[in-house]
Amino acid sequence: WLNDEVINFYMQLIMERAAQTPALPRVHAFNTFFYSTLRESGYARVRRWTRRARLFEKDLVIVPVHLGVHWCCAVIDMRQKSIVYYDALLGDNHGCLQTLLDYLREECRDKQGAELDDARWSVRCDKQIPRQRNGYDCGVFAATFAEHAARDAPFQFAQENCPFLRRRMMYEIAAASLTTRGH
Amino acid sequence: MDPNSASANANANGEDVKDAKPDTTSEHISIKVASSDNSEIMFKIKRSTKLSKLMQAYCTRTGKSSGTVRFLVDGERIVGDNTPESLGLEDGDTIDAMTEQVGGGQH
């Protein structure tokens, strides 16, 4: 089990690494309250959250998704114009994909003064991903999906790696820096 | 408790009380605290008062434990040592009070 503080600190680390590493994609990672607020209260309440983020200048936008007692992760790829939803329990969430596409449309109008080129965007729930096989590792999966996506790395990990991944997350959070991956 | 409890608490603690001036409108501002379920509470607070006082008053008022509430301004976490001044908050601005989220896996 992980709470919002762990996920949010990890999202910060992912963003800092991207900012410090020119070879990596430019990343904005939202905190865990972004999606819940957008879903519950609509665009107006999150409009100012990206005043400084310049979302449309990023390559990737990571959106942690909290569902009651479950963590998932959505990744918006500005280069490929795609939104992909990753749930380690392989759940579907087309509502989330639609909410995020609607968000992009509003955000594009608000920050760019332009219409989003909807027709070129695609959305999907990816099921060909490492699968969670217990009832407590979803936060580790969601954070690891985000970390891998943030460097365009394939998801080469599995449930068996979670004890290691969890320990590495603890270490990285304590050190306030991500360890070097093979990028 | 009345909606002005933050400023009431601040005054009760003594340190924020200055000479009684006829007009304190520029020193005090109204801050709206909005929860994740869209309920809102207004607080009056001095620009220079630490927001920890407002946070405590909010938790007391709503009966929430302070460890389970995260305060955000424009999506960014704020801490009790921040003041309206240090954050550039203006009269009528909103602070979001989000509830702790936990997750393990069961749908």
Side-chain angles (χ1 to χ4, degrees), chain A:
Chain A
W1 289 76
L2 293 180
N3 77 356
D4 54 293
E5 304 208 82
V6 174
I7 304 280
N8 287 335
F9 197 81
Y10 209 68
M11 294 301 124
Q12 284 290 333
L13 295 183
I14 289 172
M15 256 198 297
E16 280 166 22
R17 179 184 65 183
Q20 290 160 5
T21 319
L24 288 178
R26 291 163 297 177
V27 174
H28 180 76
F30 278 112
N31 67 37
T32 57
F33 298 108
F34 168 77
Y35 178 69
S36 53
T37 303
L38 174 66
R39 194 189 53 193
E40 300 302 323
S41 309
Y43 179 74
R45 203 164 161 196
V46 294
R47 188 177 71 85
R48 287 167 57 87
W49 290 32
T50 46
R51 277 181 311 155
R52 289 188 291 267
R54 298 173 186 275
L55 233 49
F56 291 93
E57 294 175 16
K58 299 290 187 284
D59 296 316
L60 296 164
V61 178
I62 294 170
V63 184
V65 174
H66 182 248
L67 303 172
V69 289
H70 187 43
W71 290 111
C72 301
C73 174
V75 177
I76 302 171
D77 191 325
M78 294 290 195
R79 302 161 299 185
Q80 296 181 16
K81 300 190 190 298
S82 66
I83 310 176
V84 185
Y85 183 79
Y86 301 108
D87 176 351
L89 292 176
L90 309 187
D92 276 309
N93 195 345
H94 294 288
C96 171
L97 293 168
Q98 191 57 50
T99 300
L100 291 177
L101 189 58
D102 290 343
Y103 169 79
L104 283 182
R105 202 174 287 130
E106 297 252 34
E107 180 73 358
C108 192
R109 260 181 222 142
D110 188 70
K111 305 293 189 301
Q112 309 287 96
E115 292 298 314
L116 190 75
D117 44 353
D118 288 39
R120 297 181 56 201
W121 279 79
S122 66
V123 303
R124 70 194 159 95
C125 299
D126 193 341
K127 305 290 180 71
Q128 307 299 314
I129 58 173
R131 184 175 180 184
Q132 178 185 356
R133 304 208 179 261
N134 61 29
Y136 53 83
D137 271 334
C138 66
V140 176
F141 274 95
T144 307
F145 290 145
E147 188 279 314
H148 280 61
R151 54 189 166 91
D152 287 333
F155 294 161
Q156 286 170 340
F157 62 95
Q159 178 65 67
E160 306 86 86
N161 307 118
C162 277
F164 164 75
L165 293 170
R166 188 179 281 271
R167 278 199 305 277
R168 183 168 68 182
M169 277 181 75
M170 282 169 55
Y171 171 80
E172 291 173 326
I173 286 169
S177 172
L178 297 182
T179 57
T180 305
R181 316 286 204 266
H183 56 251

